[in-house]
Amino acid sequence: MAGSGEGSKAWSKIRYKQDMPPPGGYGRIPYLRNLPVRGPSSYGIFGFAIFTFGYGFHIIRKNMKLDEFEKRETRLIEMTYLPLLEAEKDRNHLREYKEIMEAEALNIIGTGSDPDHVVGQHEWESQRWRAPYHQYPEVIYSWTRAIDLWYHQYFRKDVPGP
């Protein structure tokens, strides 16, 4: 049916030219990517990263040494001024103590309520001498240290401060 009828004879009468490759064949198909090399290689990028991290750590270490030097210098300055500050605290303490003793003399002896009272003497005081303020060589560095010193000065007088 398909090849035995008149229609197939008609196809065989058509003249055509077969498409053939040129003599010597076709040229190569450019399927490879021959891109030019752009930028540094992977070794170059890795080396740059190592250098950058190393330089960063060098700067950090240098700044840490500088900070440590500044802290040490600040501590030395504070310890240099500590005797002056302690003397000022002692003067303030003695001034306040004198005012308290004058007020006590005025209130107790001046009113005549206890003529045998000796100003500044209390039965609960011990014979042990204590400095007006805790005289430690360290300086108050933080607010927690300041709170500890304040607590031991006013509430825990039987235990030495921190």
Side-chain angles (χ1 to χ4, degrees):
M1 294 199 182
S4 63
E6 285 201 22
S8 60
K9 290 180 188 177
W11 282 107
S12 62
K13 293 179 184 176
I14 297 175
R15 297 199 39 98
Y16 67 92
K17 182 176 179 186
Q18 186 175 359
D19 201 11
M20 295 295 288
Y26 291 109
R28 279 187 72 130
I29 298 174
Y31 65 92
L32 296 175
R33 296 184 68 191
N34 294 324
L35 299 175
V37 178
R38 296 176 58 185
S41 66
S42 59
Y43 292 116
I45 292 172
F46 185 70
F48 180 74
I50 294 295
F51 171 75
T52 304
F53 284 128
Y55 183 70
F57 282 124
H58 168 70
I59 294 297
I60 289 172
R61 184 174 162 89
K62 190 167 80 170
N63 286 340
M64 287 173 61
K65 283 184 178 180
L66 182 64
D67 288 346
E68 183 62 32
F69 173 75
E70 289 175 353
K71 284 179 187 176
R72 197 177 309 126
E73 187 178 25
T74 304
R75 213 175 306 130
L76 183 64
I77 290 170
E78 288 174 349
M79 287 180 13
T80 303
Y81 281 116
L82 189 62
L84 178 67
L85 297 175
E86 286 291 331
E88 186 176 352
K89 284 181 185 177
D90 290 346
R91 281 194 306 271
N92 288 340
H93 177 74
L94 291 175
R95 181 183 46 80
E96 291 170 3
Y97 186 72
K98 181 181 174 188
E99 290 173 2
I100 290 171
M101 293 302 113
E102 289 173 356
E104 184 180 333
L106 182 67
N107 290 335
I108 295 177
I109 297 174
T111 58
S113 62
D114 188 8
D116 297 332
H117 180 75
V118 178
V119 176
Q121 184 179 8
H122 304 285
E123 62 259 5
W124 62 82
E125 286 185 355
S126 68
Q127 299 300 318
R128 185 171 67 103
W129 182 84
R130 279 179 57 99
Y133 288 91
H134 299 292
Q135 295 178 350
Y136 290 101
E138 64 262 16
V139 180
I140 298 173
Y141 288 111
S142 65
W143 61 274
T144 55
R145 175 106 175 103
I147 289 174
D148 285 343
L149 285 175
W150 173 79
Y151 177 76
H152 281 281
Q153 270 183 341
Y154 294 105
F155 298 105
R156 297 289 306 268
K157 293 188 178 193
D158 56 333
V159 179

